[in-house]
Amino acid sequence: MRNGENYNSRRTFLKGIAASLLLLPMLQSCKEKVITMFIRLSGTNHILGHRLRVKNFPKPTRQIHIPYLIIGGGISGLSAARQFRKRGISDFLVLELENHLGGNSSNGENQYSKFPLGAHYLPLPNFHDKTLLKFLEEEKIILGYNAKGFPEFDEAQLTFTPQERLFYKNEWQEGLVPKYGNSNADENEFQVFFAKMDYFRETKGADGNYLFDIPLMNSSKDAQTLKLDNITMKQWLDENQLTSKSLIAYVDYCCRDDFGLGIDFVSAWAGIHYFAGRKHNVTSDRKENVLTWPEGNARLAMHLKKYSEGKTLKNHLAYEVKTAGNKTVVHAFDDRKKESVEIIADKVILATPQFVNQYLLENRMQIGREFQYAPWLLATLTVSDLTDNYSYPLSWDNVIHGSKGLGYIYDQHQSVQQVQPKKVITYYYSFSSSDIRKSRRTLYRQKKDYWKQMVFDDLKKAHPDIEEKTEEISIHLLGHGMISPVPGFLFGVAKKEAAKNIENKIFFAHSDLAGISIFEEAFHQGINVVNAILDGTTLDS
């Protein structure tokens, strides 16, 4: 989705853990054609997740001593490892539950394509985010700088055209903002809305900071603007007399796509930040674009992984973290050896979401309950063909107006191979409701056939024969997706309390501590926490 007339989005999301990595193949008949279905419940191992709550682990039988321990191998944890290396420190360990690193920036692969298992692209960063630009330069995503000082991005890693399309009133059209079929009143409201977003994007507060910026901590503390966090995005639209059904559907889609919850449930500050946080100033032509790869942000995770090579304990679940004297003691379960280990560290970084931290630390339950995470579903389909009316061609991002889901990504879009024997797409769905816990229970109570049929029925609005054309489908359910910034959360007490270190020994880094789940937040969280440990600063160096 776009945060303006020409904006590609579906930002990074899906922070945290869900059910289990279960591969359940089954065969079913579909109009005399066999479909092989793989239903994968992605995230933290379900059995270990349950054991984290009841803590029925064996007593530790061995010890590890290390100055610095990072718990969690997602983007925040990997970024912290990179910053330790940048600061000349290599005596650290990364503890990771899964058998791979990357967290929600992970990927799958079949014989036709890699595909994302969560976050799948990075919008071009703000020009003043020099720390992120430096990282992209190091990894040859930025190839250099032109005479005007603007970065030159590797074109092979920028989204190829056509970038996105919308199925609206029975035909595909370019972009995600409806261009055809709107009334004059609709068009006027879109213009008013985007003009307001331009104002929020460019305006600074009395403190000299942008009203909305990335990382979020750099945003202005302007009191009037902060009040927007106390109302929903729907209330803000109503107060500004923006009532066009087309506009409301578009903004609701953007909020569901970025936060897991729609305009009825997310704060207006968060909703506006989606459109105003990115300044589109990193190129001289100010065109919006995104960096993406078939495997999604797993490519960025790969670039970060090298900093923790030989420093990682995978398949290890931390289940208790506490201070003891001038040290921190961590108990972790080695799922391969089926034994527990005691890790004694000078400093520990919890690069884990708060719904995990509430089980690792004492007296953390109340804080954890204040953090809300919407459930998510992803479905990757391998199809023999993707038939539609092609009024606008298959694009990287494909959204169906009025559908339950958030559209699908064409995973092979970045491939230079023009003719694909099969097409691979990944469909996204967020469970937006007033009762996230109920949605999570529903997620796991429904049978796999229910979700398969829901995906097909939603896609049939634009692709009537999608079920007959599908040869394989892999469904991923995540009970805890990305953080959902409900009113009062972004600048509330719980988020501030959750970010405070404990006795200068236990530190925290995770995008849910920003309140908005995007790559940049996780990346900067990792850098900032290491700087805080080493020299007491929370500013990037």
Side-chain angles (χ1 to χ4, degrees):
M1 82 196 124
R2 295 182 180 265
N3 67 0
E5 187 71 25
N6 298 307
Y7 183 63
N8 287 304
S9 183
R10 189 167 304 124
R11 292 189 194 147
T12 67
F13 68 92
L14 305 176
K15 292 288 181 182
I17 60 176
S20 60
L21 271 174
L22 297 176
L23 188 61
L24 303 175
M26 63 167 290
L27 296 175
Q28 81 168 37
S29 173
C30 180
K31 295 190 177 181
E32 299 181 355
K33 185 168 73 70
V34 174
I35 294 178
T36 303
M37 178 177 299
F38 297 95
I39 298 185
R40 180 177 299 164
L41 306 182
S42 302
T44 300
N45 183 278
H46 177 68
I47 296 175
L48 286 184
H50 176 73
R51 293 184 69 179
L52 179 60
R53 293 189 291 273
V54 299
K55 295 192 176 182
N56 59 338
F57 296 100
K59 292 182 179 180
T61 56
R62 56 192 176 95
Q63 274 189 348
I64 296 174
H65 293 260
I66 195 77
Y68 303 104
L69 177 68
I70 302 169
I71 300 176
I75 295 300
S76 292
L78 294 176
S79 179
R82 172 180 175 271
Q83 187 67 359
F84 272 131
R85 292 281 196 177
K86 293 289 184 180
R87 298 291 299 267
I89 293 173
S90 59
D91 201 4
F92 64 86
L93 279 178
V94 177
L95 204 69
E96 169 57 41
L97 167 65
E98 303 291 349
N99 61 4
H100 64 276
L101 300 173
N104 80 301
S105 294
S106 301
N107 73 282
E109 184 174 2
N110 60 27
Q111 67 185 100
Y112 303 108
S113 179
K114 294 180 180 179
F115 51 86
L117 292 178
H120 61 279
Y121 75 97
L122 173 66
L124 295 187
N126 292 335
F127 188 60
H128 52 277
D129 192 348
K130 303 302 183 185
T131 304
L132 180 53
L133 292 181
K134 179 63 176 176
F135 167 67
L136 298 178
E137 184 180 0
E138 291 172 356
E139 303 308 332
K140 310 302 181 186
I141 297 171
I142 291 176
L143 301 180
Y145 290 80
N146 63 23
K148 296 181 179 180
F150 289 104
E152 295 180 330
F153 292 90
D154 179 6
E155 292 186 1
Q157 301 185 67
L158 289 170
T159 317
F160 295 166
T161 55
Q163 294 180 341
E164 57 188 10
R165 63 178 183 167
L166 174 69
F167 190 75
Y168 183 65
K169 297 190 175 180
N170 295 317
E171 67 175 355
W172 289 104
Q173 48 184 271
E174 181 182 8
L176 300 188
V177 176
K179 288 182 171 62
Y180 313 110
N182 288 330
S183 67
N184 289 335
D186 289 330
E187 292 295 338
N188 289 336
E189 287 203 18
F190 270 107
Q191 291 179 18
V192 170
F193 175 78
F194 285 124
K196 290 181 181 294
M197 296 304 106
D198 288 342
Y199 167 81
F200 284 124
R201 182 181 301 113
E202 300 299 332
T203 303
K204 294 183 178 181
D207 54 9
N209 294 334
Y210 283 110
L211 295 180
F212 299 87
D213 204 356
I214 299 172
L216 186 148
M217 64 177 290
N218 293 339
S219 300
S220 174
K221 300 303 184 289
D222 177 74
Q224 198 64 30
T225 306
L226 295 186
K227 289 181 180 179
L228 293 169
D229 189 44
N230 297 324
I231 62 173
T232 67
M233 191 61 183
K234 180 61 166 60
Q235 288 175 300
W236 183 87
L237 290 168
D238 289 341
E239 289 178 2
N240 286 270
Q241 298 180 329
L242 295 170
T243 58
S244 162
K245 290 183 179 180
S246 295
L247 174 63
I248 289 174
Y250 169 71
V251 179
D252 185 66
Y253 169 87
C254 294
C255 289
R256 287 188 293 127
D257 203 34
D258 243 35
F259 312 122
L261 298 180
I263 58 175
D264 292 312
F265 312 116
V266 299
S267 99
W269 198 99
I272 294 171
H273 182 274
Y274 167 78
F275 294 94
R278 301 190 187 282
K279 308 307 176 186
H280 318 314
N281 59 1
V282 77
T283 58
S284 56
D285 58 11
R286 300 182 70 89
K287 285 186 178 179
E288 303 168 50
N289 208 335
V290 304
L291 297 157
T292 190
W293 308 267
E295 67 269 37
N297 283 10
R299 178 73 64 89
L300 296 172
M302 178 196 71
H303 290 310
L304 291 169
K305 287 176 187 177
K306 61 175 174 281
Y307 295 98
S308 57
E309 286 183 1
K311 302 287 182 179
T312 303
L313 293 178
K314 301 174 186 176
N315 297 105
H316 279 67
L317 171 67
Y319 61 87
E320 184 178 57
V321 180
K322 59 185 178 181
T323 59
N326 63 345
K327 299 287 185 179
T328 301
V329 178
V330 175
H331 289 167
F333 179 69
D334 182 340
D335 192 38
R336 287 179 175 169
K337 296 183 178 180
K338 306 302 179 185
E339 63 182 27
S340 292
V341 57
E342 183 175 75
I343 305 173
I344 300 175
D346 296 330
K347 310 285 185 182
V348 171
I349 296 173
L350 287 178
T352 41
Q354 309 316 304
F355 67 86
V356 173
N357 292 346
Q358 66 184 355
Y359 295 107
L360 301 182
L361 301 163
E362 291 185 354
N363 304 317
R364 204 74 177 184
M365 285 293 180
Q366 186 57 46
I367 290 178
R369 292 191 185 101
E370 298 297 319
F371 287 71
Q372 299 193 38
Y373 306 82
W376 281 80
L377 175 149
L378 294 84
T380 296
L381 290 74
T382 301
V383 299
S384 58
D385 193 14
L386 204 58
T387 307
D388 58 33
N389 61 22
Y390 289 107
S391 49
Y392 191 80
L394 179 64
S395 303
W396 170 69
D397 196 4
N398 308 266
V399 176
I400 303 169
H401 179 83
S403 69
K404 294 181 179 179
L406 298 166
Y408 63 88
I409 295 296
Y410 176 38
D411 297 313
Q412 296 148 307
H413 188 74
Q414 295 299 105
S415 173
V416 296
Q417 181 180 339
Q418 295 301 306
V419 179
Q420 302 286 350
K422 309 290 181 183
K423 289 184 171 64
V424 182
I425 64 173
T426 297
Y427 165 94
Y428 290 80
Y429 183 97
S430 69
F431 294 80
S432 176
S433 75
S434 60
D435 191 338
I436 293 178
R437 290 179 177 83
K438 181 178 179 181
S439 295
R440 189 173 297 118
R441 291 192 296 269
T442 300
L443 183 74
Y444 294 120
R445 285 175 180 172
Q446 294 291 354
K447 302 297 183 182
K448 51 186 176 288
D449 285 345
Y450 175 89
W451 299 123
K452 175 211 67 175
Q453 200 59 50
M454 185 201 76
V455 172
F456 282 144
D457 290 345
D458 209 23
L459 290 173
K460 282 178 182 178
K461 295 178 176 68
H463 303 286
D465 60 351
I466 187 69
E467 190 166 0
E468 290 80 9
K469 298 295 185 180
T470 298
E471 297 185 358
E472 182 176 298
I473 178 171
S474 178
I475 296 177
H476 312 264
L477 304 178
L478 289 96
H480 294 81
M482 59 198 177
I483 188 69
S484 298
V486 297
F489 173 73
L490 289 176
F491 305 104
V493 174
K495 192 163 75 76
K496 292 179 182 178
E497 288 298 315
K500 291 180 179 178
N501 73 68
I502 299 175
E503 299 179 22
N504 203 34
K505 298 182 183 68
I506 302 173
F507 295 77
F508 301 91
H510 197 275
S511 65
D512 66 3
L513 295 174
I516 293 178
S517 181
I518 57 178
F519 176 87
E520 296 96 318
E521 294 290 357
F523 177 75
H524 282 281
Q525 286 271 333
I527 294 171
N528 292 343
V529 74
V530 171
N531 291 343
I533 289 172
L534 298 183
D535 49 34
T537 181
T538 58
L539 300 176
D540 292 347
S541 61

